[in-house]
Amino acid sequence: GENVEQHPSTLSVQEGDSAVIKCTYSDSASNYFPWYKQELGKGPQLIIDIRSNVGEKKDQRIAVTLNKTAKHFSLHITETQPEDSAVYFCAAQRGGTALIFGKGTTLSVSS
Amino acid sequence: DSGVTQTPKHLITATGQRVTLRCSPRSGDLSVYWYQQSLDQGLQFLIQYYNGEERAKGNILERFSAQQFPDLHSELNLSSLELGDSALYFCASSVVGSPNTGELFFGEGSRLTVL
């Protein structure tokens, strides 16, 4: 089955800096790659996703890139703000199967 | 608010006991997923139901079982509880059988502590 590795497990940045979280997946048939943000005491919430026919997608300060050949994808957050502090999960899925998540990255943005 | 309701929010019980976690999906969502979140394992997929039928199974222990009722709410039953079952259990829902075409909406979780 699918296996998703996520790095780093913790990330500390200064406000205004960029943050990058990287994930690799094992199943070459996976074609959907969402990113979820989990704030303290809440459930994960989708922030951006990308499908296998797209190499990059942006939404304001966040962007995701996908390299299907290398089977890895990344989340980029620019101009980080304290409210970006949370746990971020990457996930991968191929059609008809469940979403498999990485172990998460705890992002801390200090002002 | 995601629209997914989970009860109870917190539960403390002893080893060997049995508990039931309940989930009400968003209105109109046919799929329910259960995930277990522990500190060192992240979000582990347990099981998925679609319109009352089991659709996919993950790393769910034999001591655990789930079902989805005609009104689409779901219950996760955990029995013969062990210390290692202490975790946050999330329910998520989506409109279709696979989240590949849409977003997964998570509840706020049920925190289970086994003493």
Side-chain angles (χ1 to χ4, degrees):
Chain A
E2 176 65 275
N3 183 50
V4 178
E5 299 283 339
Q6 182 171 348
H7 299 280
S9 56
T10 60
L11 180 59
S12 295
V13 299
Q14 291 286 323
E15 182 177 1
D17 287 349
S18 294
V20 180
I21 302 170
K22 298 182 179 182
C23 289
T24 59
Y25 60 97
S26 61
D27 187 347
S28 57
S30 289
N31 55 10
Y32 176 62
F33 308 93
W35 287 86
Y36 281 77
K37 175 183 180 182
Q38 184 180 19
E39 297 178 339
L40 201 60
K42 304 208 167 187
Q45 185 174 12
L46 180 72
I47 55 172
I48 194 167
D49 58 12
I50 192 167
R51 301 185 190 277
S52 60
N53 57 348
V54 175
E56 184 176 0
K57 184 176 179 180
K58 285 184 180 179
D59 183 3
Q60 300 183 347
R61 295 185 298 107
I62 60 173
V64 58
T65 58
L66 171 64
N67 183 327
K68 284 212 70 183
T69 303
K71 290 191 283 187
H72 68 70
F73 56 113
S74 301
L75 177 72
H76 304 252
I77 306 175
T78 59
E79 299 172 23
T80 53
Q81 301 168 3
E83 51 265 37
D84 294 329
S85 296
V87 179
Y88 291 81
F89 291 95
C90 63
Q93 187 209 24
R94 66 179 170 88
T97 66
L99 207 51
I100 303 301
F101 287 86
K103 291 189 177 182
T105 296
T106 300
L107 173 64
S108 300
V109 181
S110 53
S111 55
Chain B
D1 182 3
S2 68
V4 177
T5 304
Q6 289 187 248
T7 57
K9 290 191 184 305
H10 301 276
L11 191 54
I12 302 174
T13 189
T15 55
Q17 295 298 305
R18 172 190 168 96
V19 299
T20 297
L21 309 180
R22 182 188 169 101
C23 170
S24 294
R26 289 189 325 152
S27 176
D29 283 1
L30 300 177
S31 267
V32 169
Y33 307 77
W34 287 96
Y35 283 85
Q36 179 192 56
Q37 184 176 33
S38 54
L39 279 175
D40 58 345
Q41 291 298 317
L43 279 165
Q44 294 279 307
F45 169 65
L46 296 178
I47 198 164
Q48 177 203 355
Y49 281 83
Y50 176 74
N51 204 21
E53 300 291 325
E54 183 183 306
R55 174 63 67 93
K57 225 171 188 176
N59 299 320
I60 188 166
L61 299 172
E62 286 191 11
R63 300 183 286 109
F64 297 0
S65 64
Q67 54 184 324
Q68 186 179 28
F69 295 88
D71 67 353
L72 301 178
H73 90 271
S74 178
E75 293 181 355
L76 179 67
N77 301 295
L78 316 173
S79 61
S80 303
L81 286 168
E82 301 174 0
L83 295 178
D85 297 328
S86 295
L88 195 53
Y89 291 84
F90 282 106
C91 169
S93 73
S94 69
V95 174
V96 294
S98 165
N100 220 330
T101 58
E103 184 174 346
L104 216 55
F105 294 88
F106 282 83
E108 295 197 341
S110 292
R111 181 169 295 282
L112 173 65
T113 303
V114 183
L115 300 176

